[in-house]
Amino acid sequence: MRSLLLSLALLTALPAPAAPPDAEASDPARLGWMKGAPPPAERTIRFADGSYADFPAWRWSVSHFRELMPTVQVSRGLGAPRALPRTERRDIDGLRFTPLGGGEPITWAQSLALNYTDGIVVLHRGRIVYERYAGALTEEGQHGLMSVTKSFTGLLGAVLVAEGTLDPARRVDHYVPELASSAFGDATVRQLLDMTTGIRFSEDYADPKADVWQHAQAGNPLPKPADYQGPRSYFEFLRTVQAQGRHGEAFGYKTANSDALGWVIARASGQSVAELLSQRLWRRIGAEQDAYFTVDSIGTPFAGGGLNAGLRDLARMGELLRNGGRLGGQQIIPRAAVDDIRRGGSKADFEKAGYALLRGWSYRNMWWVTHNEHGAYMARGVHGQALYIDPKAEMVIARLASHPTAGNAANDPTSLPAYHALARHLMARP
Amino acid sequence: MRSLLLSLALLTALPAPAAPPDAEASDPARLGWMKGAPPPAERTIRFADGSYADFPAWRWSVSHFRELMPTVQVSRGLGAPRALPRTERRDIDGLRFTPLGGGEPITWAQSLALNYTDGIVVLHRGRIVYERYAGALTEEGQHGLMSVTKSFTGLLGAVLVAEGTLDPARRVDHYVPELASSAFGDATVRQLLDMTTGIRFSEDYADPKADVWQHAQAGNPLPKPADYQGPRSYFEFLRTVQAQGRHGEAFGYKTANSDALGWVIARASGQSVAELLSQRLWRRIGAEQDAYFTVDSIGTPFAGGGLNAGLRDLARMGELLRNGGRLGGQQIIPRAAVDDIRRGGSKADFEKAGYALLRGWSYRNMWWVTHNEHGAYMARGVHGQALYIDPKAEMVIARLASHPTAGNAANDPTSLPAYHALARHLMARP
């Protein structure tokens, strides 16, 4: 039962343990998780018993989800990868910045360990200027992106909107009649894309009756208990979502919106988000690795949090966006889709969600838009995963992480100002 | 319970249904398995309820195992694939041959449908001369190799022997002390490599108490029933294997030998078969796709049947062997390992196993050696998967298939003579 309760919701969030070991003490290689044939019992990580989600085992799990559960390929195609040029800079590690909320300045290098960074790449003007790996991640591995997934699902939605395949003003039940009697039915696609739907979906992980656990139980690919009566797939769950509040009045960050968008995309395009992501992006950005989605028991990719990818491929995605959807002289995705993300959404709607650290931001097509003086926008995963695009500084940062606290408020103070400080540094000393 | 009984043993074999539909009628694309969001109930394939193993759903499953169960990557690395040159020939489809056992001659093209071929590539002198896809396989997909896996595990063993890392004369319990009290303990590594161990391991799929079901139950990654008392991983299962007969007296094709060899390899090399296959082969043959192994609940790759790979990468492996382990002027693996396979094993030991269609063959390092006038040898999977290397004809055939009958006696009559006929044809008209 624990396995079902923990389950896939952990791809989006995990309760924080009391006093987690620091990055060095929780280093998966040092702890020897899953090393040996077989690994020692106390270093064996399993899916069914939920042990994969315990910190610090979690730090191994985030780089090995495919070994724990079924997944579907996001093919890169079969050609040669497109190389990212490289000019590494030695002046980044020592860069100092003041964390959000004040306190003593810390260095960029210090922030990486504080944030349990598993890998980070910085592109400046398209060149790799910085790259580090830690934890259980290597340059040949794929790491769970968790809610960064939402931004890619949202990007696919924005692309279909720009191409006219998806009408943002249409009701969701126009595309997915099965959602007519759920709270999603009379929301517009635009409201779904911007998460301004009025739906009941508690992501309070401390509450065992929170909707997020039902969502997770529905999506868990393991067999259900004999007495289980609930929904048995992501799609079945979405049909049960009830209304709370009115559509179009406020931003409310709720994973179910991304899964509903995934369903709308599948119906509008005739392809699952995994197939569409491969066709439109992964095989066109010069990716060096296939990516993958975790799936439920009927093979549905988890559009709200199940994408796993290599670090440099994540950076390639950021670089594509920074260049307005162009790569190598070709328009890969419509510029209008990228521009629509960059412009952002309603600041007033966003303000109502009460993010103390993100004042003045907005949310558009499932991207977080800073509206800072550089026009930066980002994708955010709950354990510190990030894809940060700073158009003015011509900078892209891709970061994968396994912070013990499931919530960006834990890592934002030492990551967001680091990104902006580096942007200013690269502009000052290009 | 059915799920546990069916389970992973189905990667090595499947009971034949009464009157299976033919290749066209069972075509997965035509039947629409797993198409739609969600797929229709009657076209939905699941792992836990065993439906993935029912024919004809099986024809979809063999190209989608990662969507059904956890898997571990066999990385190709990050470089550009090595292209296979191509000169397609139009004279192959019409090639006629007489099936084993006599009867009317049929054409090569006819044999493909008769054998439920999902994909086939023929290399002649290193060039692709023929390539076809069917079923649920595309050039960008990976297909279950089933017992072809054993030959790759055996090849890794032969490589370690040639390099001196593994001593074929040593007892198995020298490398894996945990196997000391099992029937494997006092067998030699050579006996394991050639499957001349005297172990009790019934692969009679009609007998629900057959050892193969316990093996499958142990390796199944799903949670065990509450009252389950048996082994919970491949390694735990191997420790329970009992003696039957004496080591070194006869060939006996038993999957447990390959899994035991996988354990020996892991201990001798410090790497799992998945890691070693990647390091020694997949990232050195210019593979165009990652491969993967299915794993048990503690992440052990299924060395006896769990490898999945792309068709052309399978062909690349064959071409490496045809060239004595050399590729592009480099010796990738020791020539001695390849030569040892080519020479074959004891025909007398093989004869005792009573394969009516394989008279005069032998088995060496988990490869099937024909000892025909061309010195051909092959890897064989139970649903018709094959990697056939004909040194004299300078020909390699890689074939993936999903024959409804789990047993090569069902497809050998219309595949083995086709391979040999094509070899002679290519020699006569190069």
Side-chain angles (χ1 to χ4, degrees), chain A residues 37 66 71 140 263 267 283, chain B residues 37 71 140 263 267 283:
Chain A
R66 69 175 292 172
T71 57
E140 293 174 8
W263 200 353
R267 285 289 171 81
R283 61 184 65 216
Chain B
T71 57
E140 292 173 10
W263 200 353
R267 285 291 172 80
R283 60 183 66 217

Side-chain angles (χ1 to χ4, degrees), chain A residues 145-339:
Chain A
L145 304 188
M146 294 169 213
S147 291
V148 169
T149 309
K150 294 177 173 67
S151 302
F152 287 5
T153 300
L155 175 61
L156 291 174
V159 166
L160 295 183
V161 166
E163 293 175 349
T165 304
L166 201 54
D167 180 348
R170 287 268 196 186
R171 283 167 54 128
V172 167
D173 59 9
H174 170 74
Y175 294 102
V176 184
E178 294 96 318
L179 285 176
S181 59
S182 79
F184 292 112
D186 62 352
T188 65
V189 170
R190 169 51 53 209
Q191 289 159 346
L192 211 55
L193 280 161
D194 295 348
M195 288 209 197
T196 58
T197 53
I199 62 168
R200 202 195 75 176
F201 188 80
S202 160
E203 300 208 18
D204 177 2
Y205 295 93
D207 173 8
K209 294 192 171 176
D211 307 277
V212 68
W213 295 121
Q214 295 172 42
H215 174 262
Q217 203 159 357
N220 191 311
L222 294 178
K224 303 286 182 274
D227 60 349
Y228 180 80
Q229 296 292 328
R232 293 173 174 272
S233 67
Y234 290 119
F235 293 150
E236 284 189 17
F237 172 81
L238 293 171
R239 297 180 67 173
T240 71
V241 172
Q242 300 297 309
Q244 186 176 73
R246 293 160 58 96
H247 300 314
E249 296 194 342
F251 167 60
Y253 183 75
K254 291 167 181 173
T255 297
N257 286 300
S258 304
D259 289 306
L261 179 62
W263 200 353
V264 168
I265 287 172
R267 285 289 171 81
S269 72
Q271 292 179 291
S272 74
V273 290
E275 292 166 331
L276 196 64
L277 185 63
S278 169
Q279 185 196 81
R280 295 304 185 88
L281 289 160
W282 231 252
R283 61 184 65 216
R284 303 196 68 189
I285 61 170
E288 60 194 31
Q289 295 192 70
D290 291 341
Y292 65 83
F293 277 92
T294 59
V295 295
D296 67 10
S297 67
I298 61 165
T300 317
F302 178 20
L307 185 60
N308 292 252
L311 178 62
R312 285 200 294 256
D313 289 335
L314 183 59
R316 283 180 171 91
M317 279 295 303
E319 185 63 9
L320 178 74
L321 291 170
R322 188 183 75 78
N323 287 301
R326 290 183 71 82
L327 180 72
Q330 280 212 314
Q331 193 72 36
I332 305 295
I333 52 173
R335 175 160 199 117
V338 182
D339 287 345

